[in-house]
Amino acid sequence: MTDAKKRVTIYDVAKVAGVAPSTVSRAFSRPGRVNAETSRRIYEVAEGLGYRSQSPARLDTGKVSKILAFVVSDINNPFLTHIMRGFQQEASQQGYTTLLIDSQESDSAERSSIEKIIHLVDGVVLTSSRMSDSTISQIMKVKPVIAINREVRGVPSILPDTDRGVRQAVELIASHHHKRLLYLAGPESSWADGVRWRALAESCDELDITLKRIGPYPPSLMGGITASRVWIRQQSSAVMAYNDLLAIGFMKAVQNAGFNVPGDVSVIGMDNTITTALTTPTLTTVATPPNMLGVRAARTLIYQLQNRSKQQPKTVTVPMNVFLRESVGPVPTPA
């Protein structure tokens, strides 16, 4: 008997029926493309397991929907919002509608939401996905997938040139004679956080800067406030955060505690969101144009949909640079 607490998915049906997940998907969404015997077996297994298709009858015609799913880890993150806007505009120009899914930093919510709408869309874009590589690979067996800010073997990816951007940031720190850098880490499940940390470690080692890491923290203002309490106990002259929100929360908290930015501590964020120009001082940050990430993702996915037999998984790298503002200054002079 099926555990009532665990929702049955197309992957469960495929395993028992002895077919691919994509075959189960077609059996429910486009029955005319699956032979009668296979469809009968799939329906019997699905009924026995208690599976209920989320696919509406209007998609049973076998026609493409011209709808693309755009999945973000947190819609409140302005960087991800800008990526979505670039994607949506490019997709619209090519005749596609965008369906937005906000997973709220939850891998289980992300997977569950995708499974509910997988029959409605032609393809899926995952932005800073929190799901495992194996889960993403399973979804790709059903519909074409593009990953933004995340690299998964066998999945086309759109990535910022993190090594280049981080190197520029560390060179900036070194040019102001800082010898100690503290990194405020982002979510533990973030692929990008691991990439940024490795790039930082390599650049700091080459430029003779002592690097330490604290966290993980939520990529939010509150996460930065929490991190500031640790910094106050073990101060470094420079701090680099996983993203701008974390950096801004940190900066405001240390200012409220009586410290000066950049007089006592230089601060660097990541993403170049609009908030970086509104802080006092304005925030130096590292970023790739988020709109460009979205546009590249839309073009790559739509090309894949239109040229399935020709498309090979590939990585598209978008330049990443430092945006210098007021939050970075010389290393503090001892009193």
Side-chain angles (χ1 to χ4, degrees):
M1 182 175 180
T2 303
D3 184 353
K5 295 183 180 180
K6 180 181 179 183
R7 193 171 66 84
V8 178
T9 70
I10 62 172
Y11 307 109
D12 300 318
V13 175
K15 183 176 181 180
V16 176
V19 298
S22 56
T23 303
V24 176
S25 175
R26 286 195 299 273
F28 284 100
S29 64
R30 303 172 184 178
R33 298 181 61 185
V34 179
N35 72 62
E37 178 58 28
T38 301
S39 293
R40 182 190 62 77
R41 184 167 73 256
I42 289 172
Y43 295 150
E44 288 179 352
V45 169
E47 184 176 356
L49 294 176
Y51 172 76
R52 295 293 179 268
S53 170
Q54 300 292 330
S55 178
R58 70 180 180 83
L59 289 182
D60 289 351
T61 61
K63 296 181 180 180
V64 297
S65 67
K66 302 287 282 188
I67 299 174
L68 305 175
F70 189 88
V71 187
V72 296
S73 55
D74 181 6
I75 194 60
N76 289 320
N77 185 328
F79 180 70
L80 301 183
T81 303
H82 288 309
I83 295 176
M84 180 195 69
R85 183 61 59 84
F87 178 88
Q88 186 178 38
Q89 290 175 345
E90 180 66 24
S92 178
Q93 289 178 8
Q94 299 200 42
Y96 287 82
T97 298
T98 302
L99 177 64
L100 173 66
I101 295 175
D102 178 9
S103 68
Q104 301 180 46
E105 296 286 351
S106 168
D107 59 338
S108 58
E110 186 173 0
R111 175 171 180 168
S112 176
S113 297
I114 291 172
E115 288 175 347
K116 290 177 181 178
I117 57 87
I118 195 73
H119 305 295
L120 293 169
V121 302
D122 295 331
V124 179
V125 172
L126 304 174
T127 309
S128 297
S129 177
R130 304 304 187 224
M131 296 186 296
S132 66
D133 287 5
S134 59
T135 298
I136 294 174
S137 295
Q138 283 185 321
I139 294 171
M140 193 173 180
K141 292 178 181 178
V142 182
K143 292 291 172 70
V145 173
I146 301 293
I148 300 178
N149 212 26
R150 169 75 181 272
E151 192 168 28
V152 182
R153 186 173 182 178
V155 177
S157 302
I158 314 296
L159 303 175
D161 190 350
T162 303
D163 288 345
R164 170 182 170 175
V166 167
R167 176 71 184 203
Q168 289 181 11
V170 176
E171 288 176 348
L172 174 64
I173 290 294
S175 73
H176 285 290
H177 309 293
H178 293 271
K179 289 295 183 180
R180 297 174 62 219
L181 176 63
L182 182 68
Y183 176 62
L184 313 184
E188 191 172 12
S189 59
S190 169
W191 177 87
D193 182 75
V195 171
R196 292 170 183 181
W197 170 249
R198 288 191 292 273
L200 267 175
E202 181 177 329
S203 293
C204 285
D205 181 64
E206 292 176 357
L207 295 173
D208 197 26
I209 292 176
T210 299
L211 175 67
K212 290 187 178 180
R213 171 192 180 108
I214 59 173
Y217 296 107
S220 63
L221 296 175
M222 187 55 66
I225 293 171
T226 302
S228 72
R229 298 168 188 150
V230 178
W231 177 85
I232 289 173
R233 296 195 301 269
Q234 54 181 58
Q235 296 175 25
S236 61
S237 64
V239 166
M240 188 166 181
Y242 166 78
N243 73 348
D244 291 338
L245 291 177
L246 197 56
I248 292 170
F250 170 86
M251 189 164 68
K252 292 303 180 184
V254 298
Q255 287 174 321
N256 289 339
F259 296 93
N260 178 269
V261 178
D264 296 313
V265 58
S266 291
V267 181
I268 300 178
M270 281 198 178
D271 293 345
N272 195 34
T273 56
I274 190 172
T275 51
T276 58
L278 303 177
T279 60
T280 304
T282 53
L283 180 66
T284 295
T285 187
V286 184
T288 190
N291 185 75
M292 186 183 298
L293 290 173
V295 169
R296 292 288 182 86
R299 290 175 180 172
T300 302
L301 179 57
I302 292 170
Y303 178 85
Q304 183 175 352
L305 292 171
Q306 296 173 347
N307 303 273
R308 291 181 188 241
S309 61
K310 301 176 183 178
Q311 178 70 18
Q312 296 295 323
K314 64 178 181 179
T315 297
V316 176
T317 303
V318 180
M320 192 177 200
N321 298 293
V322 168
F323 293 80
L324 180 61
R325 298 195 178 94
E326 301 167 345
S327 65
V328 172
V331 65
T333 302

